[in-house]
Amino acid sequence: PDPLLQPFQLRHLTLRNRVVSTSHEPAFGEEGLPKDRYRAYHLEKARGGVGLTMIGGSAVVAPDSPPAFGNLLLYRDEIVPWLRRLADDVHGAGAAVMCQVTHLGRRTSNFTGDWLPVVSASALREPAHRSFPKAAEAWDLDRIAADYAAAALRCREGGLDGIELQAYGHFLDSFLSPATNRRDDEWGGSLENRMAFPRRVIRAVREAVGADFLVGIRMTLDEDRPGGLGFDEGLTAAERFRDDGIDFISTIRGSIESDASLARTIPSIGTPLAPHLDFTGEIRRRLAVPVMHAARIADVATARHALRAGLLDLVGMVRAQIADPHLVAKVEAGQEDRIRPCVGASYCLDAIYDSGDTKCVHNPASGRELTVPHLVPRTTGRRRRAVVVGGGPAGLEAARVLGERGHDVVLFEASDQPGGQIRLAASNPRRGDLIQIADWRLAECKHLGVDLRPGTYAEAHDVLAEHPDLVIVATGGTPDRGFLAGGENLVADTWDVMTGSLRPPRRPGGEILVYDDHGGYPAMDAVEVLTSSGARIEYVTPERTLAPDVGSMNSPAYLRAFTAHGVTTTLARRLRSVRRSGDGRLVATLYSEYTGAEAERTVDQVVVEHGTLPNDELYTELVPRSVNLGEVDLRALLAHREQTVVRNDAGAFRLFRIGDAVASRTIHAAVYDALRLCLPV
């Protein structure tokens, strides 16, 4: 039998299977409460078959633990009925539900919420959130222990099955770790002293909720850093916590106080799958308590291995179920090959800081469950003839959704291999998994009977020959070099780098200037690829920081490459023009908006990134023949209603363009363009 689908007994609670969506904060709460959007997000996972879903990734217990990323506020009594409604719905769908409970300690800002000073075991600054905490006083410890107990009781009153205390990077483990506990009182020094406050909290929580309510802990058992908590001490602490009333442990290895350490603890694309499984297996062998773990367990095969090998009892698959909350149901139905893959892009985490809440890089329904279905329903209207031109992420998604709706779909793609700019990004070896975004959609299109025509450069007569009712133009864009005042024909662009058409300088010590006026991934990928050439590279940007649209989960890998290969970084400089020098090299003129001064760089090659301009020739040619003349009713689009604009009674079809065929977009934006346009058709 499939170990993923076997029930598991967690004390008095029977879980229907061993798959867990472990604690994480999607920032879907409203006023710190898990209202309808938050509830719908977790309900979808329950409907999708998960055994246990855990809410409140770091739900906070006190006002001096202000939300750092949309955290729920467990110190408010108003949260109880919202918890009850969520619990009832999740239980009704067959899953259990718990909440992670914490005091963030120093892992937040002093200057948000109620503007209270943040507290920690010692007055040591946290690099990631840049807060300067005060060392907790005796009265702080009294009230915080009581706050934990009160928060746990609210979770019980809210009908949850249990809670999980958080002890990595937050308040509890600031006492446990010698790296963050510099105290010389009864709470510091020896391991027994450093364990004392977390143990006090555990006992207070257990006393408050009673014996028939589950209490677990998610904790680091090895910080894997100089001066940090080591494995032996971590294991001893876990044993003591079990004795104090802990029912299960969710294991963490590493620390999260900086971007670099966070990326190791929660690994992203380009890293091995499940790097901490053997570590967790050792804990399970030595600790008589159920163990769960989640860290880049991105696919079903890895999850099965973890269970079959006895490395853990419950397998956490968070990002995998953000990509596809129906993962378990598809396994049960024998449709494992149709699971939407998690590609490890970690946009789900970075998007919280970038745009305010969690988003999957290629599943725009995640977090939008109140308005967008994960399972596209069949149309109840007439069957349409649809032509999609372009096989990048936008075009592939449009073809997939229209196919799911039951329409006859033809997809034209000029390249022999669909994927568009996904293929460019995936040509960075470290980010090769991105190709699954295209591959999954290709497989789905084949399953749905979409007529795929790769290697076909579609022109207007090709489209018209299909006698379409609907035409979706997803022809993408081409790199924009036109921002330069001079030398546009002398520079290369990031596409040249990623396709391999740019030949790095052969002379020893050759120099390349990469200019990034985009701030996202393309220029960073180009630099990372170019570092293998042996050339000296200078990265120049007009921004005040390096690649502001690349988040903390993804930036460490790029910065590692920058550091290892000595890439020079120049901020706050615009590239004005490029000219040829007397010796055949290139002279780049840089300009400072702050001082008005110009500077020149003489290099062998200049690579620019300034987004794309739309390939809209086909669209422009088709507009006069369309019913709507290309117009989009934005109100209907946002309400997920079918487009009904009529601007040309003689028109033969409705015409729309999406993705980079409109403007320079992202993967998520392009896919969302397609999904919400095609869902009502």
Side-chain angles (χ1 to χ4, degrees), residues 227-297:
L229 185 73
F231 179 74
D232 290 338
E233 284 195 337
L235 192 64
T236 298
E239 290 170 342
R240 298 291 189 277
F241 296 165
R242 177 201 60 198
D243 296 341
D244 292 328
I246 288 297
D247 297 310
F248 64 89
I249 286 184
S250 182
T251 63
I252 295 290
R253 184 167 192 258
S255 64
I256 58 173
E257 70 171 18
S258 69
D259 289 351
S261 63
L262 178 65
R264 290 191 295 269
T265 302
I266 307 176
S268 295
I269 192 168
T271 61
L273 291 172
H276 309 311
L277 265 186
D278 289 339
F279 168 81
T280 298
E282 182 63 18
I283 294 166
R284 184 175 182 266
R285 283 189 290 273
R286 296 172 61 174
L287 197 62
V289 66
V291 171
M292 71 172 71
H293 173 67
R296 195 153 154 71
I297 303 176

Side-chain angles (χ1 to χ4, degrees), residues 442-624:
L442 278 171
E444 285 294 290
C445 284
K446 291 175 183 176
H447 176 83
L448 296 165
V450 172
D451 183 356
L452 297 168
R453 301 184 190 176
T456 305
Y457 186 90
E459 300 190 39
H461 63 85
D462 299 301
V463 173
L464 298 174
E466 299 297 326
H467 305 290
D469 302 300
L470 173 67
V471 177
I472 307 288
V473 175
T475 45
T478 51
D480 180 10
R481 305 182 189 182
F483 67 94
L484 290 170
E488 178 181 343
N489 61 322
L490 298 176
V491 303
D493 55 59
T494 56
W495 287 27
D496 295 323
V497 175
M498 304 308 287
T499 59
S501 60
L502 176 70
R503 301 299 180 191
R506 294 183 179 180
R507 71 181 188 87
E511 296 170 299
I512 303 175
L513 186 150
V514 177
Y515 178 68
D516 182 10
D517 196 10
H518 180 290
Y521 292 88
M524 301 296 280
D525 277 331
V527 170
E528 187 173 359
V529 169
L530 285 170
T531 56
S532 63
S533 70
R536 289 190 294 167
I537 302 170
E538 180 180 7
Y539 169 94
V540 179
T541 177
E543 304 284 356
R544 61 185 174 91
T545 186
L546 184 149
D549 291 339
V550 177
S552 61
M553 296 301 300
N554 283 283
S555 59
Y558 293 116
L559 294 177
R560 191 179 307 118
F562 274 51
T563 303
H565 295 277
V567 175
T568 301
T569 299
T570 300
L571 304 178
R573 294 290 188 277
R574 290 196 175 275
L575 178 63
R576 275 191 160 175
S577 62
V578 178
R579 71 178 191 275
R580 186 76 70 183
S581 67
D583 62 359
R585 301 177 77 202
L586 300 179
V587 179
T589 300
L590 306 179
Y591 168 73
S592 168
E593 291 184 86
Y594 300 96
T595 66
E598 288 189 348
E600 292 186 342
R601 301 283 197 275
T602 301
V603 295
D604 295 279
Q605 290 167 335
V606 175
V607 177
V608 300
E609 171 55 45
H610 190 74
T612 60
L613 295 173
N615 291 324
D616 56 4
E617 296 85 358
L618 175 63
Y619 168 80
T620 302
E621 188 174 351
L622 291 173
V623 164

Side-chain angles (χ1 to χ4, degrees), residues 4-5 16-17 19-21 39-53 89-90 92-96 300 317 320-335 339 369 374-375:
L4 290 173
L5 305 180
R16 62 181 170 182
N17 57 57
V19 180
V20 181
S21 174
R39 176 182 53 82
Y41 170 73
H42 284 279
L43 177 57
E44 193 73 30
K45 296 183 185 188
R47 288 171 173 165
V50 73
L52 166 64
T53 189
D89 282 1
V90 169
V300 170
M317 303 185 74
Q321 290 180 91
I322 294 175
D324 195 337
H326 291 257
L327 179 150
V328 177
K330 290 178 180 179
V331 172
E332 291 176 327
Q335 297 180 336
I339 294 171
E369 286 80 8
H374 283 270
L375 303 178

